[in-house]
Amino acid sequence: MSTETGSNFWPLKVSLRLRVTLAVVFPLLVILGTLTTLQYQRQKNAILENVSLVSSYAGQVIQTHLSRDVPENHPAELEIFFNQMSQDKNFRVAYFLDSSGKILYASNSANVGQTLSNSAPDCQPCHRLPVQQRPPASLVVTAGSGERVFRSMFPIENGPACVACHADDGKPLALLLTDTPVAPLEGSLTSAFRENIIWSLGMLLVTILIVNLALNRLVIQRLVHLLDALSQFGQGSFHLRLPAQSPDEIGQLADAFNEMGQRIEDNAFKTQELSEQLQQRSSERGELLKRIIGAQESERQRVAREIHDDLGQALGGISFQLEATRRLFQSDPPRARQQLDQAQGLVADTTERMYDIILALRPSELDDLGLVSAIRSQAERVFANSDIHFEMDTSRFTSRLPAEVETAVYRTLQEALSNIVRYSRASRVKITCAYQKGIFEAEITDNGKGFSLDEIKFTQASPRGLGLLGMQERIAQCGGGLTIDTHLGSGTRILLRIPIESEPNHE
């Protein structure tokens, strides 16, 4: 494929690639993003649950230690215990509060003696809610420093060992509060989330690559070949066909293209044949026109010659006889009467000859008696000096046709009868005329030697071919058609059919 053709199709390829890629990638991106987010939330919740569980275990250990040291009144050991907790990086801070919120012990002794207020921002996530709606003992809050921590609260219940010193009112005696930094956990989650994003993007890129490779092989290249074939087809390459492809939509499109190309090629071939036939018919009509003009001129010459030779000499003889009669009328009346009788005979012969000339130009029977009588008279005259016997069947035609139709039919049958005498060597001829259902039909058949239509040339050098062409043209001018059925050795059948719009006049 040429560079120009490829550049013309490049925008289509880009657009199709982009659309299909987006159609595949966008849903995949949404699915992967949703799955990654859900996985991140599940991991986060699982880690928080694990941290809550660990904090609960650590709180129980601390609570056990406190339950042992507080009744025994070992404040120094408690202080050492909280100072040791401050060295554990898993704890940001640890407070031991009494029931009023006062800090009794703290890691690194920070804020000892201060009272924590429930209205502090980092306490509001729980204390702003009713008691029954507060979250469990552990939750994530933002400390005053802005750091996110996992806060755990463990109440110190008023047990049997504590009743000796404290009133048994059913309320907790103290509260252990620990804050565990969330940053290491969130960093681990963020790292895992980032890895998931990278894996998702990698999977997405691989998917895009695979989709484009498959799209290029299964769709784009095949469409480019199809478009290239359409382009060449539009430039006149009607013989171009696409190879057989898989029976998918593009394969069906290629098959439809091949079928369309075959139909167009067949139509183009038929059009070429019709064009050649039209050129041949135009050439034949030109030859026919030349013959008609030549025939008209020959007819004029013949009429002029007959008038000059026959009528002119006859009239001259009549004039001479009349002049001789005038001279002899006084001196020799009997001889004058003899000359007058001779002049009268010349007048009769001249009149008959004049009728023959008029009949040759147009038979009077056609105008006076109609088509059937004119054809019968013409057949009798043509076959008078031959061994041909003819019969005529006009039982299904007793009407008069329009004048121009009768003239065309008469001249056509006149030419056919003339050809029978000159070429057929027939012994029997049958002429049939019929009218039914608005169609006039005339048929003439003979038992002659027949001929081959393929060998007939419609040129001026072949009068017979031009005669047949003239017959077809006459009938065609009346809106009808003429068929010739003949083979060598099987005689000839000529059938003409002309539609008659108006009802024929009955004779």
Side-chain angles (χ1 to χ4, degrees):
M1 185 174 59
S2 64
T3 304
E4 181 180 359
T5 303
S7 62
N8 290 336
F9 294 146
W10 176 248
L12 174 62
K13 292 192 292 184
V14 171
S15 177
L16 185 58
R17 287 180 189 274
L18 181 60
R19 293 182 180 182
V20 175
T21 302
L22 289 178
V24 174
V25 170
F26 183 75
L28 185 61
L29 183 62
V30 172
I31 294 173
L32 290 177
T34 302
L35 293 178
T36 302
T37 303
L38 292 176
Q39 184 179 4
Y40 172 78
Q41 292 295 333
R42 285 197 300 268
Q43 289 179 351
K44 181 179 178 180
N45 294 333
I47 290 176
L48 291 177
E49 289 178 0
N50 291 333
V51 171
S52 177
L53 184 61
V54 172
S55 298
S56 176
Y57 290 155
Q60 291 177 3
V61 172
I62 295 172
Q63 187 177 10
T64 302
H65 185 77
L66 292 176
S67 298
R68 183 193 64 194
D69 290 340
V70 170
E72 296 178 358
N73 197 11
H74 295 156
E77 293 184 7
L78 287 175
E79 186 174 353
I80 293 172
F81 177 75
F82 276 96
N83 287 333
Q84 290 176 350
M85 289 183 62
S86 64
Q87 297 176 3
D88 191 348
K89 295 181 179 180
N90 292 327
F91 293 98
R92 176 180 175 274
V93 69
Y95 293 138
F96 185 70
L97 310 176
D98 62 9
S99 59
S100 64
K102 182 180 179 180
I103 301 176
L104 300 178
Y105 297 97
S107 58
N108 286 333
S109 300
N111 301 323
V112 174
Q114 294 182 6
T115 301
L116 298 181
S117 175
N118 294 336
S119 61
D122 55 345
C123 296
Q124 282 299 300
C126 286
H127 290 280
R128 68 184 177 186
L129 300 175
V131 176
Q132 63 273 14
Q133 296 182 7
R134 291 177 184 177
S138 300
L139 74 160
V140 177
V141 298
T142 302
S145 61
E147 183 182 4
R148 287 169 54 82
V149 296
F150 188 81
R151 178 164 292 176
S152 299
M153 293 157 287
F154 305 96
I156 305 299
E157 301 294 339
N158 190 3
C162 301
V163 174
C165 299
H166 302 279
D168 188 10
D169 54 3
K171 296 181 179 180
L173 297 178
L175 179 68
L176 175 63
L177 186 147
T178 61
D179 286 346
T180 303
V182 180
L185 303 177
E186 291 182 340
S188 177
L189 284 174
T190 303
S191 178
F193 182 72
R194 188 182 299 111
E195 290 179 0
N196 289 334
I197 292 294
I198 292 174
W199 278 105
S200 298
L201 291 177
M203 185 183 300
L204 195 61
L205 291 176
V206 172
T207 302
I208 292 174
L209 179 61
I210 295 175
V211 167
N212 276 273
L213 290 176
L215 183 65
N216 184 69
R217 179 176 180 82
L218 299 178
V219 179
I220 299 297
Q221 290 184 356
R222 297 167 66 189
L223 285 180
V224 169
H225 293 159
L226 180 59
L227 291 174
D228 185 47
L230 287 173
S231 177
Q232 296 183 33
F233 193 84
Q235 297 175 2
S237 300
F238 299 140
H239 64 281
L240 188 63
R241 298 291 181 274
L242 292 173
Q245 300 183 11
S246 57
D248 54 11
E249 287 77 3
I250 298 180
Q252 294 175 6
L253 187 61
D255 294 339
F257 170 81
N258 291 336
E259 293 177 2
M260 178 191 68
Q262 187 63 45
R263 289 196 300 269
I264 293 179
E265 187 177 11
D266 294 342
N267 291 336
F269 181 74
K270 293 179 181 179
T271 302
Q272 181 66 24
E273 286 186 340
L274 291 176
S275 177
E276 293 176 357
Q277 293 177 3
L278 183 60
Q279 292 179 356
Q280 182 181 0
R281 181 59 61 89
S282 178
S283 176
E284 293 171 356
R285 288 186 176 182
E287 293 289 341
L288 180 60
L289 180 61
K290 291 180 182 179
R291 185 188 176 190
I292 291 174
I293 295 175
Q296 288 178 345
E297 188 64 26
S298 298
E299 186 67 12
R300 290 190 183 101
Q301 292 176 358
R302 184 187 66 81
V303 173
R305 184 171 56 253
E306 289 184 356
I307 292 176
H308 176 271
D309 294 345
D310 294 341
L311 296 182
Q313 291 180 4
L315 291 175
I318 292 172
S319 177
F320 177 77
Q321 290 290 340
L322 291 176
E323 178 64 23
T325 301
R326 186 181 65 82
R327 293 177 179 177
L328 293 174
F329 189 76
Q330 295 294 335
S331 60
D332 192 356
R335 188 177 178 182
R337 283 193 296 271
Q338 184 181 2
Q339 292 289 340
L340 190 60
D341 292 338
Q342 291 178 358
Q344 187 177 3
L346 287 175
V347 170
D349 292 341
T350 301
T351 301
E352 184 178 355
R353 182 57 182 162
M354 181 183 66
Y355 284 146
D356 291 339
I357 295 175
I358 294 174
L359 185 62
L361 294 177
R362 180 174 178 85
S364 59
E365 292 96 331
L366 186 61
D367 295 327
D368 299 336
L369 302 178
L371 180 63
V372 173
S373 298
I375 293 174
R376 182 177 286 108
S377 297
Q378 178 67 17
E380 291 173 350
R381 284 193 298 271
V382 170
F383 298 144
N385 298 321
S386 68
D387 296 331
I388 299 175
H389 300 280
F390 80 94
E391 59 177 310
M392 193 166 180
D393 181 8
T394 60
S395 58
R396 292 180 295 166
F397 177 66
T398 59
S399 306
R400 294 294 302 267
L401 301 175
E404 63 276 8
V405 176
E406 286 189 340
T407 301
V409 173
Y410 175 80
R411 294 301 184 190
T412 299
L413 296 182
Q414 184 183 37
E415 179 71 20
L417 294 173
S418 177
N419 289 338
I420 290 173
V421 173
R422 286 184 287 179
Y423 305 112
S424 71
R425 297 181 185 177
S427 60
R428 299 191 65 83
V429 175
K430 183 177 181 181
I431 304 172
T432 304
C433 295
Y435 175 82
Q436 56 182 352
K437 297 181 179 180
I439 301 295
F440 170 78
E441 293 183 353
E443 182 183 58
I444 180 168
T445 59
D446 65 63
N447 63 346
K449 65 178 183 178
F451 60 94
S452 174
L453 285 173
D454 297 334
E455 298 178 358
I456 298 298
K457 297 181 179 179
F458 298 97
T459 61
Q460 195 168 3
S462 177
R464 186 179 187 182
L466 286 178
L468 296 177
L469 179 61
M471 295 164 60
Q472 293 177 340
E473 291 294 331
R474 287 183 185 275
I475 302 303
Q477 289 178 356
C478 297
L482 183 142
T483 58
I484 301 175
D485 183 14
T486 182
H487 301 281
L488 290 174
S490 62
T492 302
R493 173 178 175 268
I494 298 176
L495 173 65
L496 61 90
R497 304 177 79 250
I498 302 175
I500 307 299
E501 296 182 358
S502 58
E503 191 70 21
N505 297 322
H506 293 278
E507 295 181 336

